[in-house]
Amino acid sequence: MKQQGVHPEDAESTSGASPRPDTARPGDKDPEGTATSEEQQAGEGSDAGRAAGEEPAQNVEEAHADEVEGDEPLLPARVHRPSDLVRVLAGLLGIVLLLAIAAFAHGTTSGLEQDINKGTGQAPDVFSKLAGLVSSIAILLVPVAFAIERLIKRDGLRIADGVLAAVLAHGVTLATDLWVARAAPDSIRDALTQPSPGDVGSLTDPVHGYLAPVIAYMTAVGMSRRPRWRAVLWAVLVLYAFSMLVTGYTTPFSILLTLLIGWAVAYGTLYAVGSPNVRPTGRTLMAGLRHVGFRPVSAAREEVADTQETATDRGRRYFVTLEDGPPLDVTVVDREQQAQGFFYRAWRNLTLRGFATRSSLQSLRQALEQEALLAYAAIAAGANAPKLIATSELGPDAVMLVYEHTGGRTLDSLAEEEITDDLLRDTWLQVKALQSRRIAHRRLVGDAILVDRSGKVIITDLRIGEIAANSLLLRMDISQLLVTLGLRIGAERAVASAVGVLGPDAVADCLPMLQPIALSRSTRATLRRLARERAQRERDAVLEASRLSKQTRSEEADAGADKPDKKTVRAQARAEKRALDEALDDAREEDLLTLIRHEVLRIRPQAPVEPARLERVRPRTLISFIAGAIGAYFLLTQLTHIEFGPLVANAEWGWVAAAVLFSAASYFAAAMALLGFVPERVPFRRTVAAQVAGSFVKIVAPAAVGGVALNTRFLQRAGVRPGLAVASVGASQLFGLGCHILMLLSFGYLTGTEKTPSLSPSRTVIAGLLTVAVLVLVVTSVPFLRKFVVTRVRSLFAGVVPRMLDVLQRPQKLVTGIGGMLLLTACFVMCLDASIRAFGSEGTSLSIASVAVVFLAGNALGSAAPTPGGVGAVEATLTVGLIAVGLPSEVAAPAVLLFRLLTLWLPVLPGWLAFNHLTRKGAL
């Protein structure tokens, strides 16, 4: 690294010419000696630099010594902090909870108000008047004083943010007052207002129109970072709230709502317009190094891959040369950088168990102390780790850690031939040293393993590690390093090197941790990319085999003068299927995790292979719970207005029995729809039992996934080859989709022409066709979408079309399949119609076409919904659809409830019994 001298652009700047924007460097000065745009954008970062020991007056040599080579480009003046968004969401949630309590807990709110009024009424009258006078004056003076203090510090941008937040908060209070006065429920109005003592017949304001703007203003200008001003403001707010409660001009819920509105609007404003960027610049770093006793000459920003994981887990790194002594490696961690990836870490904390993740909320002081502790602990354990020699804060929003310079290259930058057995052994020895003292690294990826010029391995990036780690975390480190090395040198060498140092038992114990959820974010992304490449190679192999087969068949047809008979056509179709299956088998590759498991099991056949339960809650379960809660809430709100006693008493039980029969008949129709696309002989009764078992599978898996998987497994167990089983189910699904769309359009057309003398189609059908046409045009016009769709359609037809040709050669099979699909739809439509007639009267019945349209739309949405059985989505769609076509809500809600009870919930127990029976018989 060469030391920096006077740059030509710098000389141009000091001679009086203003520097060009594209050549301005961090830390340069303009002719008047003021900072360039980067330093001005840093806002309070300049104050941080002065606090770290930077002198206000510097000579020219010192100014050039502060330059940082390779520093980041000009920083944005404002940044959108995820923490501000989290506070906005928390404020909105608090407002919703407050209004919910006021709406549904009227007795509690009334009792709370009476207790507070009784307690505040005992205060001396003189004290109450004095508190009101002081708080009324202070509530206006404190913001003005704070604004003056900020203007003196040349922080006018924050004042502008505060004024904007105050204006928006005032608008929100006016809208809230209007809503409470005209549209809010009486319980909410009673909780937020009371009779005004000064004006008989009027009510107090639900939200204080001048208190909320004050709170928004003080929050937006950064009061939370200044403890003295925060204490003064809270004292004024408490005094003001007390005086208002004593005099009877407000309620406790009104005060809380005012605080939440001002707080939420302030952080919403900050997130929308952005907060001033206070990230420290290179000049601040150099001043901080002087503050801790170093004499830096130059610094260079280390170039790393700009990824989300490296940005949050590594910090910004600098190579610093000194006037005397060896160079340094400096890591800078600032508040903005630490906030990156917040939502990802929060999601991991929600879905994973506590031992599998780290805290998403960590202060800079905690981050500094954790990294320093881990650096000292790693060296004490005997591992080769960078030596920490100094730490310091760079103002209130950044910290730096100073290490001795290590040098070298990362494992990712090494060529494959450079990764020798000795290097692998040294790497595992470092991990073994850490694990001997129960230290978990938590991120053993390629850029965390450094190899210096002598070939010594150094473990870096201990920032997110953990001391006194449990066995699960240590085993996760081993599995992560196995995958990291396997991506570079293959599974065999990676496992062999680990066994040579750690022993076979320690490596075998890590198999339950060998799952994607336990790996780092970058490793998971690499594995997904490799999986896509493998799938693409398999698709290409199948397509090539299909092309060659068609070419061969075409050549044979050209060579023969006569048209081939049916026997020859069947033989050619069977040969083509065998060629496709063989091509798929030859192209199929195992993923890296499976290869590592096989290598470990070859050494330790008795090793545990069952994956450990690392997830606290799966995303699918969470989505299912939310969707189910929404659906349950929707149905309950509909059912609360229904009197079930008279409804059940007047129900037509004959139609209920008919609905039960139609629901039972749907399983025979589903069996016909499946067997119609399977040329092989499969028992019909057992197929019906498999469809009944599907009723149980639908509850534990999305509707569009569970049935496909079960039918494919059933056909394989029935003797159908795996490739043909997948093709049969795919053909059935593809043909069913086409029938579904045609029936939806046909019944929609009939519904639109029912009440019109002409046969003109309804506007709904026209709108649907236009929507589909627009989507097709968008897909065909965007190259990425067009390639995505074409690739998947081609791979689908590569296996499905030959299967369809087999079915077409057997007309009775085709009739069975098409008839089964139509009969299946008819059974469900008639079941829904019978459910409607069971609770409706003569004048409330609908036409079969209208019922069919509603069912087909609801079934389509249920298949697309990622919830088991389409719970929530189907109920809402069917109920809304029936009401939209003219059915009263008091009939639509119980009809949908009966329909879903017969088609989803009641068959669960028979489905479970059928599933267990078929499993015992080896049919599943």
Side-chain angles (χ1 to χ4, degrees):
M1 178 59 63
K2 64 179 181 179
Q3 298 183 4
Q4 296 184 20
V6 178
H7 198 275
E9 280 101 344
D10 299 336
E12 198 176 24
S13 175
T14 55
S15 63
S18 58
R20 297 187 304 271
D22 58 337
T23 58
R25 298 168 58 90
D28 291 347
K29 300 246 179 171
D30 64 9
E32 282 96 26
T34 58
T36 57
S37 58
E38 179 180 353
E39 187 178 355
Q40 293 173 354
Q41 291 172 356
E44 293 182 352
S46 58
D47 297 336
R50 287 189 291 271
E54 182 181 353
E55 296 295 330
Q58 296 177 337
N59 54 31
V60 177
E61 290 79 4
E62 233 176 327
H64 288 299
D66 285 347
E67 296 172 3
V68 177
E69 193 174 291
D71 201 354
E72 60 272 13
L74 293 179
L75 300 176
R78 291 179 174 273
V79 291
H80 302 278
R81 296 174 176 170
S83 57
D84 292 338
L85 180 58
V86 171
R87 292 186 177 98
V88 174
L89 297 178
L92 295 177
L93 179 61
I95 293 173
V96 172
L97 292 177
L98 183 68
L99 294 178
I101 294 173
F104 299 106
H106 182 66
T108 303
T109 57
S110 300
L112 179 63
E113 290 180 8
Q114 293 176 3
D115 293 340
I116 293 178
N117 291 333
K118 182 178 179 181
T120 55
Q122 297 177 358
D125 186 58
V126 176
F127 178 75
S128 301
K129 293 181 178 179
L130 181 62
L133 177 63
V134 173
S135 61
S136 299
I137 298 175
I139 202 72
L140 298 176
L141 287 181
V142 171
V144 174
F146 192 83
I148 295 174
E149 188 263 350
R150 287 289 88 200
L151 290 174
I152 294 175
K153 295 292 183 65
R154 297 181 180 180
D155 199 5
L157 287 177
R158 290 186 182 273
I159 301 299
D161 294 341
V163 172
L164 177 60
V167 173
L168 294 177
H170 185 66
V172 173
T173 57
L174 293 179
T176 305
D177 289 344
L178 185 63
W179 172 74
V180 172
R182 298 186 178 182
D186 294 337
S187 56
I188 294 180
R189 186 181 299 110
D190 295 339
L192 297 177
T193 61
Q194 64 181 11
S196 178
D199 189 1
V200 179
S202 63
L203 299 176
T204 59
D205 294 332
V207 182
H208 297 275
Y210 52 91
L211 181 58
V214 169
I215 297 172
Y217 169 82
M218 297 294 286
T219 305
V221 295
M223 173 211 64
S224 60
R225 298 183 182 179
R226 292 160 180 82
R228 294 181 180 178
W229 285 102
R230 182 174 63 236
V232 171
L233 179 62
W234 277 111
V236 171
L237 291 178
V238 170
L239 194 62
Y240 177 82
F242 172 79
S243 63
M244 295 294 288
L245 288 172
V246 169
T247 55
Y249 280 97
T250 191
T251 66
F253 280 82
S254 177
I255 292 291
L256 292 176
L257 182 61
T258 303
L259 292 173
L260 289 173
I261 288 177
W263 194 69
V265 170
Y267 284 110
T269 304
L270 290 179
Y271 186 77
V273 304
S275 302
N277 196 341
V278 293
R279 171 175 286 188
T281 61
R283 289 174 52 83
T284 309
L285 169 65
M286 304 293 273
L289 289 172
R290 294 193 193 94
H291 185 63
V292 293
F294 296 102
R295 302 179 65 185
V297 175
S298 65
R301 172 77 181 275
E302 178 183 344
E303 297 294 337
V304 295
D306 187 14
T307 63
Q308 185 76 5
E309 188 171 27
T310 56
T312 56
D313 293 338
R314 296 192 62 182
R316 289 182 295 154
R317 294 185 171 185
Y318 296 87
F319 173 78
V320 179
T321 57
L322 304 178
E323 291 185 7
D324 51 353
L328 305 173
D329 290 330
V330 181
T331 300
V332 176
V333 182
D334 56 69
R335 195 179 304 277
E336 306 302 335
Q337 181 187 28
Q338 195 179 30
Q340 294 180 8
F342 170 81
F343 294 109
Y344 171 76
R345 294 195 299 269
W347 172 252
R348 297 270 292 181
N349 286 333
L350 176 65
T351 56
L352 300 185
R353 297 179 182 271
F355 58 79
T357 184
R358 62 188 178 98
S359 174
S360 59
L361 293 175
Q362 192 180 45
S363 66
L364 286 172
R365 169 63 65 176
Q366 291 173 332
L368 176 68
E369 293 173 350
Q370 180 181 5
E371 185 168 354
L373 177 61
L374 284 164
Y376 292 137
I379 294 177
N384 296 331
K387 183 178 180 182
L388 182 67
I389 56 178
T391 60
S392 178
E393 292 185 351
L394 298 178
D397 297 295
V399 295
M400 71 173 181
L401 298 100
V402 184
Y403 294 92
E404 288 185 352
H405 177 61
T406 54
R409 295 182 293 166
T410 63
L411 182 67
D412 288 339
S413 63
L414 295 178
E416 185 175 345
E417 59 272 11
E418 295 181 278
I419 306 177
T420 62
D421 292 339
D422 291 338
L423 188 147
L424 295 175
R425 176 178 175 80
D426 195 6
T427 302
W428 285 110
L429 286 174
Q430 305 311 312
V431 175
K432 184 177 182 180
L434 292 176
Q435 300 211 345
S436 66
R437 299 295 178 87
R438 314 296 295 183
I439 300 174
H441 187 281
R442 306 297 300 274
R443 192 179 169 271
L444 285 171
V445 295
D447 57 9
I449 301 172
L450 203 65
V451 182
D452 65 7
R453 295 177 180 176
S454 64
K456 183 175 67 174
V457 175
I458 302 172
I459 301 296
T460 64
D461 295 340
L462 289 160
R463 179 182 170 196
I464 64 171
E466 189 169 327
I467 63 172
N470 56 39
S471 299
L472 288 175
L473 290 179
L474 300 180
R475 291 155 61 192
M476 287 173 65
D477 269 0
I478 296 176
S479 62
Q480 172 65 63
L481 187 54
L482 278 174
V483 177
T484 299
L485 296 176
L487 290 172
R488 296 300 317 278
I489 59 175
E492 184 177 357
R493 285 189 65 193
V495 173
S497 63
V499 171
V501 176
L502 304 178
D505 294 333
V507 178
D509 288 341
C510 80
L511 284 188
M513 303 292 110
L514 201 64
Q515 47 184 309
I517 197 68
L519 303 176
S520 69
R521 193 176 185 180
S522 59
T523 304
R524 293 199 305 272
T526 303
L527 293 177
R528 287 194 297 268
R529 176 179 58 80
L530 294 177
R532 289 193 297 268
E533 294 176 356
R534 287 196 306 272
Q536 183 62 42
R537 287 194 293 270
E538 292 177 3
R539 287 193 293 267
D540 293 341
V542 172
L543 292 175
E544 180 64 19
S546 177
R547 186 188 65 81
L548 293 176
S549 178
K550 292 179 181 178
Q551 182 179 357
T552 303
R553 188 168 53 188
S554 177
E555 293 175 353
E556 292 177 354
D558 295 338
D562 299 333
K563 183 178 180 180
D565 56 5
K566 293 183 178 180
K567 185 176 181 180
T568 304
V569 172
R570 292 178 182 177
Q572 291 175 349
R574 287 193 295 269
E576 183 176 356
K577 288 186 294 184
R578 286 195 300 270
L580 293 178
D581 292 338
E582 292 174 358
L584 184 60
D585 293 337
D586 294 339
R588 186 172 286 114
E589 305 173 21
E590 291 184 330
D591 63 287
L592 178 62
L593 300 185
T594 303
L595 293 175
I596 293 176
R597 291 191 190 96
H598 289 170
E599 289 296 326
V600 176
L601 291 175
R602 191 170 57 84
I603 300 172
R604 278 288 185 270
Q606 70 277 14
V609 295
E610 185 68 22
R613 179 70 184 274
L614 300 179
E615 292 178 295
R616 180 186 290 114
V617 56
R618 296 184 178 181
R620 185 181 65 192
T621 305
L622 186 62
I623 295 174
S624 302
F625 174 79
I626 295 174
I630 294 174
Y633 173 79
F634 182 83
L635 287 180
L636 288 176
T637 55
Q638 296 291 329
L639 297 177
T640 52
H641 303 290
I642 301 174
E643 297 182 2
F644 280 95
L647 189 66
V648 174
N650 298 326
E652 296 288 342
W653 292 101
W655 285 111
V656 174
V660 174
L661 292 177
F662 286 126
S663 175
S666 65
Y667 297 101
F668 295 91
M672 293 173 57
L674 176 63
L675 293 180
F677 296 90
V678 183
E680 291 81 4
R681 186 176 181 82
V682 179
F684 181 76
R685 293 178 58 184
R686 185 162 288 187
T687 306
V688 174
Q691 306 313 303
V692 176
S695 301
F696 167 69
V697 176
K698 284 194 301 185
I699 297 298
V700 296
V705 177
V708 172
L710 183 136
N711 287 329
T712 303
R713 179 69 173 174
F714 169 73
L715 292 179
Q716 292 178 10
R717 288 291 188 177
V720 182
R721 295 185 61 184
L724 300 181
V726 173
S728 296
V729 176
S732 175
Q733 293 290 319
L734 186 63
F735 205 92
L737 176 63
C739 289
H740 194 100
I741 295 175
L742 290 176
M743 286 188 291
L744 182 59
L745 295 176
S746 300
F747 284 115
Y749 182 91
L750 294 177
T751 302
T753 59
E754 280 178 350
K755 299 180 180 180
T756 59
S758 64
L759 294 178
S760 60
S762 65
R763 294 183 178 179
T764 304
V765 176
I766 295 176
L769 292 175
L770 290 177
T771 302
V772 173
V774 170
L775 290 177
V776 172
L777 289 175
V778 170
V779 171
T780 54
S781 60
V782 179
F784 170 76
L785 295 177
R786 184 172 61 250
K787 181 179 179 182
F788 178 83
V789 173
V790 169
T791 302
R792 272 135 186 88
V793 170
R794 289 177 59 191
S795 62
L796 175 64
F797 277 90
V800 171
V801 170
R803 201 59 167 170
M804 292 294 297
L805 294 176
D806 290 342
V807 175
L808 291 175
Q809 295 171 10
R810 301 184 180 183
Q812 68 276 13
K813 282 285 185 179
L814 185 61
V815 171
T816 301
I818 297 177
M821 289 179 182
L822 297 177
L823 182 60
L824 179 62
T825 302
C827 288
F828 282 125
V829 171
M830 296 306 296
C831 180
L832 180 58
D833 182 70
S835 301
I836 295 172
R837 296 177 184 273
F839 295 104
S841 58
E842 291 293 335
T844 58
S845 61
L846 299 175
S847 66
I848 294 297
S850 299
V851 177
V853 169
V854 173
F855 164 74
L856 292 170
N859 187 53
L861 185 59
S863 299
T867 58
V871 174
V874 174
E875 288 83 357
T877 304
L878 292 180
T879 306
V880 173
L882 291 177
I883 295 175
V885 295
L887 194 67
S889 59
E890 59 269 14
V891 177
V896 170
L897 183 63
L898 176 62
F899 174 75
R900 294 291 282 174
L901 189 67
L902 296 177
T903 58
L904 180 66
W905 298 110
L906 287 183
V908 170
L909 180 58
W912 178 73
L913 296 175
F915 186 85
N916 289 332
H917 173 73
L918 294 176
T919 302
R920 288 195 303 269
K921 294 293 185 178
L924 283 180

